Amino acid sequence: MTQRKRPSSTQSSSQRRHTGNLVAQDEDDDVAFTQPSTSQVQRGLEKLTPAQVDQKTAEVVQYFLVKDQKKMPVRRADLVKHVVKDYRNIYPEILKRAARTFDQVFGLKLVEIDPKNKMYILVNNLETPDKASPIRSPSNPKMGLLLAILSVIFMKGGVVRENLIWNTLKKLRVDPGEKHEEFGDVRKMVTDEFVRQRYLEYVRIPHTEPIEHEFRWGQRADAEVSKAKILEFMGELHEQDPKTWTQQYREAHSLPNSSQASTSSSSSSQR
Amino acid sequence: MASRSSSSTAAGGSDSPQKPTKTKRTRRKTRKARAVGDMSRQMGESHRRFLQTMMVSGVIDEQAAKALYQYCCETHHTQYAPDKLEDFIDIINSRLQPMFMQIRKGMSEDNGLQYYALVNMAETDITRMSSDYADNELELFRKTMDLIVCSENGKASSTDILNSTDSMTTRKMKKSETEHLLSRLVHDKWLSEKRGEYTLSTRCIIEMEPYIRTMYQDHVKVCHICRNIAFQCQICENPTCGIKIHNPCVARYFKGKSEPRCPSCDDFWPHEIPEVKRPHSQSRR
C-alpha cells in the first residue's frame, strides 16, 4: 500500500490527547481498539475539515476494494492500523461513510462476517439479472461449479461429508483426483480457494480415521447466494414444485435478506 | 473546442452546441451543474452494474462497452440512448473521482480500436501494482518497460528481458521465475505477448500514460496523428523530420491514398501501409 500523508503534527497530538483513554499511546501492533462513543466521534469530527474526512473515507474504500479483488476479508485491526491510523477516534463515522459509498457507487454491501474478530467482506448488492451479461467473465465456470456444490449442501440440510461432494463433482466430469483443463487442481480450488473466499467451510470431523471433513456454506455464500433461487433451479431441474422440499423451502423463504449480518448489527450468519 | 486535451482522456462529455462567448471554465461549470442538478443524471443501478463489470474485466473494447451499456440500462429499466455512452460513463467517473479511480479511453496499438479501462489515478509510479508484485518483480517490470519504450519497434524480446536480470539490484530472478512472472504480467493485462516478443498492453498504456510521459520524456514517441504516446509505430525516414505514427493511425490516415506522403514534411512515406482492421469484439454475439 502507498504511504499516506499523515495529518499535521499539531493536530495529531491534540487527537492523541483525546484518544488517550481509548487506545495505547504508542502505534503498537497489538493496539486494543475500543469503539469510540458517539460524543467522542462528534468531538473528533469537529476538529477535522470535511476534505480530510472525505480523503480518509476514500482511502478506506480503496483498501477494501484491493482486498476484495482477491476476495479476502478485511480485519478491523488491519484497517485501523494501516489506513485509519490517527483518525481512529472517528472510525465509526468513516466506516459508515465508506459503507454508503460502496452502496451508492459500487452496488456493494459491507457485511460483518465475524462479530468476534471484526471481519468484513464486500457483497454484491445488485440483484441477479435474468439475462446473462454480454461480457464474458473469466470467473463464470468457477462460479458454476461452486453453485453446484452449494446446491448439494443446501438440499442435504446444510452439511455434507466431503465424499458426497467429490462424487458429485466426478459425475460432473470434474475429478478432484486429476488435473482439470479449466480448474487445474480441483481439490485445492474447492478446499482452499473457495474456503479462503468464505464461500465454503471445510471442517475436520473429529475421531475419523482416515481423516474426513465436512462441507458447509461459508459466510460469503450466506450473504451473496439466494437459497430461494437455488430451490427454484432445483424445481426446474426435477420438474417439481419447490414447495415439495418443505424443509428447504421454509429455510429459503424464512429469512428476508436484511436480516443478514450488516455493519451495525452483529448477528452471526443463520444456518 | 473540447475542454480536455486530446491525449487519452477520461471519456469526454458530449459536445453540445455552445455560445462562442463562453469560456472554458463556464462550459465546464455548465456541464457540471447540469450533471449535479438533473435527477436523471444521478448514479443508478445501471451505472453500478457497468462499474462492477469494469472492475471484474479491467478493460473492454468499445463495442463490448456499448453492448454492456445497453444491457445495464435494459436490466434496470433505465432509459437507454445509444449515443450517450460517454455521458453515462461521465456520471460514474464523477463518483469515482474522490477515490482516484476513473474509466478512461484509449486506442489499441494492435487493432486501432478504442478500449475502456478502469484505472487507478492516485499513483504516479508503478507502485499501483505493489499489492500484487514483489519488489524484484516490479524492478523487472520496470526494466521491461525501459526496453519497450527505448526500442524502435515498441517490443522487447524474452531473451533481452532475461538478460536484463543480470543487472538487477533487488533479489535476482532465475530464468524460470522470470518466465513465470512474464506470464503473470500477461494474465494480469500489463503486457501482451506475441511470438516471444512483449509489448505494453492497451490497459497498461491507458493507465500508465502520465507516468510514462514523465519518466521517459526524452525517449517516448508521440503519434503525429492522434497525439497519444506511441510504441508500435512507423517513423518518417527524412532525417530532419522523423515524425512517428501509430500503425493503426497509418492505416486510417493513408487509406485510399495512391501515393502516401508524410503529413509533416511531404516526403514519400516508404513503409508498408497496413490494412484498417475491422472490429472483433469481446462481447458475446
Side-chain angles (χ1 to χ4, degrees):
Chain A
M1 299 303 294
T2 60
Q3 294 301 322
R4 303 286 175 185
K5 261 210 298 216
R6 310 178 120 254
S8 69
S9 52
T10 47
Q11 186 160 64
S12 62
S13 54
S14 71
Q15 275 181 320
R16 284 219 185 85
R17 252 185 282 125
H18 272 275
T19 61
N21 55 337
L22 293 176
V23 300
Q25 288 287 22
D26 47 348
E27 313 267 324
D28 210 16
D29 277 45
D30 298 356
V31 164
F33 180 72
T34 318
Q35 194 89 325
S37 72
T38 322
S39 55
Q40 280 163 330
V41 171
Q42 209 43 51
R43 276 204 300 276
L45 280 170
E46 282 161 19
K47 291 186 162 17
L48 298 164
T49 68
Q52 283 172 312
V53 182
D54 285 345
Q55 164 76 15
K56 192 48 73 173
T57 305
E59 289 172 18
V60 167
V61 168
Q62 279 185 310
Y63 182 80
F64 262 97
L65 290 175
V66 170
K67 287 280 182 185
D68 189 68
Q69 214 179 22
K70 303 175 185 119
K71 297 264 199 265
M72 302 300 282
V74 171
R75 294 190 328 136
R76 185 176 73 176
D78 290 335
L79 187 63
V80 171
K81 179 184 166 192
H82 295 300
V83 188
V84 178
K85 296 197 234 190
D86 289 351
Y87 288 64
R88 60 189 72 195
N89 60 329
I90 59 161
Y91 170 81
E93 180 61 28
I94 293 184
L95 202 67
K96 191 171 89 177
R97 293 185 190 202
R100 202 185 321 148
T101 304
F102 289 128
D103 179 44
Q104 288 178 354
V105 179
F106 298 91
L108 299 171
K109 198 162 77 167
L110 185 63
V111 172
E112 186 180 68
I113 56 167
D114 191 341
K116 193 179 79 159
N117 295 314
K118 294 291 176 202
M119 295 183 86
Y120 300 99
I121 57 171
L122 288 175
V123 153
N124 197 344
N125 213 13
L126 300 177
E127 55 184 48
T128 325
D130 294 322
K131 215 174 78 170
S133 168
I135 308 298
R136 247 182 296 254
S137 172
S139 64
N140 281 343
K142 277 191 186 172
M143 285 299 114
L145 199 72
L146 173 67
L147 222 54
I149 296 172
L150 291 173
S151 303
V152 167
I153 299 172
F154 172 57
M155 296 308 283
K156 286 283 179 188
V159 55
V160 298
R161 294 177 95 97
E162 61 179 306
N163 281 324
L164 180 59
I165 297 299
W166 305 134
N167 289 334
T168 306
L169 292 185
K170 279 200 197 116
K171 284 194 203 138
L172 296 170
R173 313 245 190 94
V174 180
D175 193 334
E178 294 170 2
K179 187 169 179 198
H180 190 264
E181 192 189 304
E182 173 83 48
F183 304 121
D185 187 340
V186 174
R187 227 176 177 279
K188 185 162 181 233
M189 183 180 75
V190 175
T191 61
D192 181 43
E193 193 180 325
F194 286 165
V195 172
R196 264 188 298 112
Q197 292 174 345
R198 302 301 209 270
Y199 279 117
L200 294 174
E201 275 179 23
Y202 183 63
V203 175
R204 201 181 137 178
I205 306 171
H207 314 303
T208 50
E209 197 63 47
I211 297 171
E212 257 189 270
H213 300 79
E214 55 190 21
F215 280 105
R216 293 168 196 266
W217 278 40
Q219 293 135 320
R220 189 185 289 275
D222 283 331
E224 279 186 11
V225 181
S226 158
K227 292 184 161 108
K229 278 225 145 93
I230 289 187
L231 210 53
E232 211 180 286
F233 174 68
M234 285 290 149
E236 286 170 19
L237 192 66
H238 297 282
E239 289 177 349
Q240 277 174 246
D241 188 333
K243 293 202 183 81
T244 57
W245 293 285
T246 43
Q247 190 110 343
Q248 288 86 343
Y249 188 84
R250 208 183 309 137
E251 194 184 331
H253 291 273
S254 64
L255 301 168
N257 274 339
S258 55
S259 78
Q260 300 284 12
S262 66
T263 47
S264 46
S265 78
S266 55
S267 58
S268 56
S269 51
Q270 313 285 333
R271 293 221 178 272
Chain B
M1 250 303 265
S3 58
R4 301 177 206 268
S5 73
S6 52
S7 54
S8 68
T9 62
S14 57
D15 257 315
S16 55
Q18 301 286 353
K19 296 208 178 89
T21 48
K22 272 195 180 162
T23 62
K24 240 193 243 180
R25 217 157 135 251
T26 49
R27 242 181 277 150
R28 233 181 290 148
K29 267 189 177 171
T30 315
R31 200 189 301 148
K32 192 177 178 193
R34 261 191 284 131
V36 169
D38 189 349
M39 275 299 281
S40 66
R41 293 176 71 83
Q42 293 282 21
M43 187 132 182
E45 296 281 274
S46 55
H47 300 93
R48 294 177 196 120
R49 187 171 293 280
F50 191 95
L51 177 56
Q52 278 196 14
T53 309
M54 288 303 300
M55 285 169 72
V56 168
S57 311
V59 56
I60 61 175
D61 65 59
E62 191 167 30
Q63 221 174 352
K66 287 182 175 157
L68 179 63
Y69 165 48
Q70 183 173 0
Y71 169 76
C72 290
C73 290
E74 284 171 1
T75 303
H76 296 285
H77 313 291
T78 312
Q79 197 171 34
Y80 163 68
D83 58 340
K84 296 285 181 193
L85 173 59
E86 303 280 315
D87 285 1
F88 184 82
I89 291 178
D90 263 356
I91 294 171
I92 301 173
N93 276 339
S94 67
R95 298 303 298 271
L96 286 177
Q97 212 251 318
M99 269 89 57
F100 301 101
M101 293 164 69
Q102 290 285 273
I103 297 174
R104 284 171 69 105
K105 200 174 174 184
M107 182 189 78
S108 158
E109 294 192 325
D110 285 316
N111 58 24
L113 296 179
Q114 292 293 317
Y115 284 75
Y116 290 92
L118 181 63
V119 303
N120 176 350
M121 309 284 285
E123 318 297 343
T124 54
D125 197 349
I126 69 170
T127 51
R128 71 190 68 231
M129 298 161 72
S130 62
S131 62
D132 293 322
Y133 295 93
D135 282 347
N136 64 340
E137 293 175 329
L138 290 176
E139 193 195 353
L140 191 66
F141 179 69
R142 270 200 193 94
K143 284 185 177 295
T144 306
M145 199 185 265
D146 289 347
L147 288 167
I148 290 171
V149 177
C150 300
S151 73
E152 221 185 80
N153 62 0
K155 298 181 189 173
S157 70
S158 49
T159 317
D160 288 340
I161 298 169
L162 282 164
N163 286 340
S164 69
T165 60
D166 293 337
S167 57
M168 282 176 78
T169 58
T170 53
R171 194 174 60 85
K172 291 218 194 309
M173 294 179 77
K174 297 195 284 259
K175 180 169 183 222
S176 58
E177 281 180 288
T178 306
E179 284 169 353
H180 182 65
L181 171 64
L182 287 173
S183 81
R184 267 180 69 205
L185 286 165
V186 170
H187 177 266
D188 292 344
K189 296 183 186 158
W190 293 108
L191 296 175
S192 298
E193 185 267 337
K194 208 195 286 187
R195 288 184 236 124
E197 291 191 302
Y198 291 87
T199 52
L200 298 182
S201 72
T202 305
R203 176 271 185 110
C204 184
I205 295 172
I206 295 174
E207 185 150 2
M208 306 264 198
E209 195 239 346
Y211 166 72
I212 292 171
R213 274 193 198 257
T214 317
M215 252 328 252
Y216 299 97
Q217 51 189 6
D218 297 330
H219 298 282
V220 72
K221 307 192 265 293
V222 175
C223 175
H224 184 83
I225 303 293
C226 71
R227 305 294 176 188
N228 289 319
I229 55 178
F231 302 98
Q232 297 179 76
C233 52
Q234 295 182 354
I235 306 176
C236 177
E237 305 258 294
N238 181 347
T240 62
C241 179
I243 61 150
K244 291 97 182 161
I245 308 180
H246 283 119
N247 294 335
C249 294
V250 168
R252 277 192 278 256
Y253 183 76
F254 289 117
K255 186 178 173 183
K257 295 207 171 112
S258 51
E259 203 182 292
R261 297 201 149 267
C262 173
S264 178
C265 71
D266 209 38
D267 263 20
F268 180 69
W269 193 264
H271 308 286
E272 188 184 327
I273 311 296
E275 293 265 308
V276 175
K277 291 222 177 107
R278 298 188 58 217
H280 170 70
S281 178
Q282 290 160 252
S283 68
R284 277 185 219 157
R285 285 284 152 157

